[in-house]
Amino acid sequence: MNRMHKIFRPESKYRAFFLSVITVGLAYGLYKGVIDNYLGDHMQLGMRNTLSLQYSRKGCIAFVVCCVNYILDSVISLASMASNVYVQDISDSPEEVRATISTGVSVNHLITILIALFGGWIWETLGIETLFILSAVLGLCNSAYAATIKVKKKAV
């Protein structure tokens, strides 16, 4: 812990940033695990049915679903960009920005991999409902935490 104080300023709120990164990683890992497992279990249509859907009215539904997933993926990317901008805003030096963002990305990657495994275990033992509820609760916790971040008012 003393080493963290040498790297980051005590008033820089690095703990809050890492808590946010861990929460986002957990929520995204559960989301990704649910989607991958659901698609793997329930979307085994076969080649003929898949090609038939492409040229029917149901193909339009698949197009809309793909568009919605693209938008959700873009929202997740924007959240990552917002955390990077926040770190740049509160830091004093480029070295501190690089250290914080690289550590955050590494922690987020590790959590995402581990939570996907944990999400699969939750799905198998407790059911998909529990997994969706847990993912929603983590998302709400992250949103509530993000609402507590104080923004400096800049002079115009």
Side-chain angles (χ1 to χ4, degrees), residues 81-118:
M81 195 179 341
S83 67
N84 292 345
V85 170
Y86 177 69
V87 168
Q88 290 174 355
D89 190 41
I90 64 173
S91 68
D92 285 336
S93 66
E95 293 80 22
E96 186 179 16
V97 172
R98 280 193 294 272
T100 303
I101 290 177
S102 64
T103 304
V105 168
S106 299
V107 169
N108 193 3
H109 183 70
L110 177 68
I111 295 292
T112 301
I113 290 171
L114 294 176
I115 202 64
L117 296 172
F118 186 60

Side-chain angles (χ1 to χ4, degrees), residues 12-57:
S12 69
K13 309 285 189 220
Y14 65 89
R15 289 183 186 137
F17 175 74
F18 289 135
L19 180 63
S20 176
V21 168
I22 289 171
T23 305
V24 168
L26 288 171
Y28 180 71
L30 286 174
Y31 159 78
K32 191 72 171 151
V34 167
I35 295 299
D36 290 348
N37 286 332
Y38 180 78
L39 292 176
D41 289 348
H42 299 290
M43 299 301 281
Q44 298 173 356
L45 298 174
M47 191 63 73
R48 188 175 115 200
N49 292 339
T50 304
L51 291 173
S52 299
L53 283 174
Q54 181 178 0
Y55 299 107
S56 67
R57 289 184 183 182

Side-chain angles (χ1 to χ4, degrees), residues 8-9 16 21 27 57 61 63 69 72 80 88 110 122 124 127 129 153-154:
F8 301 104
R9 295 178 319 204
V21 168
R57 289 184 183 182
I61 294 170
F63 177 73
N69 283 333
L72 291 174
S80 174
Q88 290 174 355
L110 177 68
I122 291 173
E124 285 292 318
E129 300 84 11
K153 300 207 180 200
K154 295 183 179 181

